[in-house]
């Protein structure tokens, strides 16, 4: 157990507890002078708070000698100089130089290194538009001026700051949605943790931690837990698995009552655009399809009738690059239409619908996209005066009519969760949603704490 929680600790020599006793562990940069092996030095001290502080002081003295230009003269390989009694002197290869410490990274350098590592883990569109553009612009401090049609720097950019100089307030003051700030902060937290694991930073404490309570709804049942040391306690919706799509990792969901409130509110809106998107919202809640699959759906993919009552999901539309591609899994799948879904489709299908007509369109007849739906679902911010206009779901959460805000893609996880908890056949559900039975069992059935064994 470490008693010193501070960045002001030796950078290349750490104090460890080993079976109740303290010891020093030397960085791998010192391997050349210890016969090419990682050096551990016992201190003959019990693991107590008082001894821990003594051990840190010893580590400081040793490190100061080793970091000095005349280290070969100053450093005592017997450790007697530092108050240690050892049975034998260390065998040194004094001709071997100690590598110079690497200069401290800036936030921008860390981010570029992180992007190269992160790229193969994400879908190309997710990486390009979310990480490479959106997140990177925030870190660079760039905001888009719609009047001038160009990017401009806002305040102090994080990009050029040394990691030790970073302050979370720099991110919090940036004019963007708090949800974007939280996602950027989470990615920076991961980037820094990666640096630590690779030994590329001297800092001991991760500075990229969002303060508790910032941007969170007090009634949010998904409120994350932050430990005393600043680390985040991962819950079931945060834990990574084989999924590489950030949307697929977030499996939070609305209750059935919340789902119905959201659908009704969209239909009842006074403005035309929210009413126009209402059928799309209801469709996603009733099918669990991915956003792009709903955006690309044409009437020729919807088969209504006695013999044919299914939907064919074979393509996906990306609003970011204005292109229609294959589905995320690259496969075509059939979704069996059930009564409630049938009622929706019969209600919205125009009498003169052509096979190639889109099932869901904006008022101008064009494709919906994630960004255009987000303006109505989450809300949008006017850059001129930084005024935020809440969307339908944001307003419902603020008014306390639903437990908390969840993104549009959680329509998918709401459908899967409600179906799984209601006893739907898991193989049919997995096939219909382009998922796996294993994923449903692990991530959806395990969430409902009210589920009990059947009394047999």
């Amino acid at each position: 157990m470490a008693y010193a929680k501070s960045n002001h600790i030796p950078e290349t020599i750490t104090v460890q507890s080993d079976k109740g006793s303290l010891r020093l562990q030397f960085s791998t940069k010192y391997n050349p002078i210890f016969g090419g092996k990682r050096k551990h030095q016992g201190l003959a001290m019990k693991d107590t708070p008082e001894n821990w502080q003594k051990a840190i002081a010893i580590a400081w003295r040793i490190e100061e000698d080793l970091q000095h230009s005349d280290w070969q003269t100053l450093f005592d390989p017997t450790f007697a100089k530092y108050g240690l009694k050892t049975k034998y002197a260390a065998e040194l290869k004094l001709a071997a130089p100690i590598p110079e410490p690497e200069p401290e990274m800036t936030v921008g350098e860390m981010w570029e290194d992180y992007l190269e590592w992160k790229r193969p883990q994400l879908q190309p569109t997710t990486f390009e538009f979310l990480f490479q553009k959106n997140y990177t612009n925030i870190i660079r401090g760039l905001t888009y001026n719609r009047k001038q049609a160009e990017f401009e720097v806002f305040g102090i950019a994080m990009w050029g700051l040394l990691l030790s100089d970073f302050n979370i307030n720099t991110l919090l003051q940036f004019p963007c949605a708090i949800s974007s700030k939280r996602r950027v902060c989470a990615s920076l937290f991961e980037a820094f943790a990666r640096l630590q694991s690779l030994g590329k930073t001297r800092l001991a404490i991760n500075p990229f931690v969002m303060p508790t309570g910032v941007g969170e709804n007090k009634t949010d049942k998904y409120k994350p837990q932050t430990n005393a040391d600043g680390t985040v306690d991962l819950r079931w919706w945060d834990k990574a698995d084989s999924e590489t799509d950030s949307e697929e990792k977030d499996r939070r969901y609305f209750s059935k009552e919340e789902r119905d409130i959201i659908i009704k509110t969209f239909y009842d809106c006074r403005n035309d655009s929210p009413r126009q998107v209402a059928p799309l919202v209801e469709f996603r809640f009733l099918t669990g399809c991915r956003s792009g699959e709903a955006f690309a759906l044409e009437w020729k993919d919807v088969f209504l009738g006695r013999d044919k009552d299914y939907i064919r999901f074979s393509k996906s539309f990306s609003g970011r690059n204005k292109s229609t591609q294959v589905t995320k899994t690259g496969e075509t799948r059939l979704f069996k239409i059930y009564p409630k879904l049938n009622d929706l489709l019969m209600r919205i299908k125009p009498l003169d619908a052509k096979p190639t007509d889109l099932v869901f369109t904006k008022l101008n007849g064009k494709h919906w996209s994630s960004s255009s739906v987000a303006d109505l679902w989450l809300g949008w911010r006017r850059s001129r005066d930084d005024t935020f206009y809440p969307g339908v779901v944001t307003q419902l959460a603020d008014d306390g009519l639903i437990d908390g805000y969840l993104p549009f893609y959680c329509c998918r996880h709401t459908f899967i969760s409600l179906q799984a908890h209601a006893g739907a056949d898991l193989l049919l559900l997995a096939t219909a949603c382009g998922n796996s039975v294993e994923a449903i069992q692990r991530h959806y059935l395990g969430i409902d704490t009210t589920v009990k064994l059947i009394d047999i």
Side-chain angles (χ1 to χ4, degrees), residues 279-312:
L280 170 62
V281 171
E282 184 177 5
F283 180 80
R284 289 209 61 224
F285 271 130
L286 296 182
T287 61
C289 70
R290 297 179 177 91
S291 303
E293 295 170 346
F295 301 154
L297 194 67
E298 298 174 340
W299 282 111
K300 67 182 179 182
D301 299 312
V302 179
F303 299 86
L304 298 168
R306 290 184 177 179
D307 300 328
K308 295 181 178 180
D309 55 349
Y310 60 87
I311 299 170
R312 178 178 58 203

Side-chain angles (χ1 to χ4, degrees), residues 19-52:
K19 298 178 181 179
S21 298
L22 297 181
R23 69 176 185 178
L24 300 180
Q25 176 174 287
F26 290 74
S27 168
T28 55
K29 68 179 289 183
Y30 297 127
N31 285 5
I33 67 169
F34 291 116
K37 297 180 181 180
R38 188 77 177 267
K39 175 65 176 175
H40 297 86
Q41 178 60 50
L43 299 179
M45 296 180 183
K46 291 184 178 180
D47 185 357
T48 66
E50 296 77 13
N51 285 341
W52 196 277

Side-chain angles (χ1 to χ4, degrees), residues 301-325:
D301 299 312
V302 179
F303 299 86
L304 298 168
R306 290 184 177 179
D307 300 328
K308 295 181 178 180
D309 55 349
Y310 60 87
I311 299 170
R312 178 178 58 203
F313 292 112
S314 60
K315 51 191 178 294
S316 178
F317 176 76
S318 171
R320 287 169 174 150
N321 54 19
K322 310 296 182 186
S323 65
T324 301
Q325 310 160 356

Side-chain angles (χ1 to χ4, degrees), residues 64-167:
E64 287 174 355
D65 285 353
L66 285 171
Q67 297 281 19
H68 197 278
S69 58
D70 194 22
W71 68 272
Q72 291 174 318
T73 301
L74 294 174
F75 175 59
D76 177 9
T78 69
F79 297 101
K81 175 181 176 180
Y82 313 107
L84 302 182
K85 296 179 181 180
T86 57
K87 294 180 179 179
Y88 55 90
E91 295 181 3
L92 300 182
K93 296 181 179 179
L94 298 180
I98 299 177
E100 289 295 322
E102 294 184 6
E104 186 179 353
M105 274 191 178
T106 63
V107 174
E109 289 169 339
M110 178 188 74
W111 182 251
E112 289 183 326
D113 184 59
Y114 171 74
L115 288 183
E116 290 304 310
W117 172 75
K118 194 73 174 176
R119 181 193 297 268
Q121 304 175 39
L122 300 169
Q123 293 292 318
T125 52
T126 300
F127 175 80
E128 179 182 353
F129 293 100
L130 202 57
F131 283 77
Q132 201 169 37
K133 291 186 178 178
N134 190 358
Y135 293 177
T136 299
N137 284 342
I138 292 175
I139 295 170
R140 286 187 179 275
L142 299 178
T143 60
Y144 188 71
N145 187 322
R146 295 190 180 185
K147 261 187 184 177
Q148 303 295 330
E150 63 182 12
F151 284 95
E152 55 189 20
V153 177
F154 174 88
I156 301 175
M158 295 178 279
W159 190 269
L161 294 176
L162 293 175
L163 294 176
S164 59
D165 293 336
F166 174 80
N167 188 303

Side-chain angles (χ1 to χ4, degrees), residues 195-261:
L195 279 193
Q196 284 184 314
S197 67
L198 296 174
K200 291 185 177 181
T201 177
R202 303 174 182 180
L203 300 180
I205 303 298
N206 194 322
F208 302 98
V209 177
M210 186 68 73
T212 303
V214 174
E216 296 171 3
N217 189 308
K218 291 183 180 179
T219 60
D220 189 356
K221 59 186 176 183
Y222 299 107
K223 182 178 178 180
Q225 302 295 317
T226 303
N227 300 320
D229 61 357
T231 60
V232 178
D233 183 19
L234 295 182
R235 316 299 283 275
W236 59 261
W237 55 84
D238 291 320
K239 293 182 179 177
D241 62 3
S242 59
E243 294 284 3
T244 58
D245 190 325
S246 58
E247 293 189 359
E248 292 296 318
K249 287 182 179 180
D250 187 347
R251 296 183 174 85
R252 298 175 291 174
Y253 68 98
F254 295 104
S255 68
K256 186 176 180 180
E257 293 74 19
E258 290 174 323
R259 177 201 68 179
D260 294 342
I261 289 172

Side-chain angles (χ1 to χ4, degrees), residues 332-376:
T332 297
R333 69 180 191 280
L334 302 180
F335 187 98
K336 184 75 172 177
I337 296 174
Y338 56 97
K340 194 167 188 176
L341 178 58
N342 183 77
D343 292 344
L344 167 65
L345 294 170
M346 294 295 290
R347 188 173 74 243
I348 66 174
K349 185 175 183 180
L351 294 176
D352 59 348
K354 298 177 182 177
T356 55
D357 286 348
L358 293 171
V359 176
F360 306 104
T361 65
K362 295 191 288 186
L363 289 169
N364 60 9
K366 295 184 178 180
H367 284 90
W368 284 104
S369 65
S370 295
S371 59
S372 56
V373 173
D375 287 344
L376 303 172

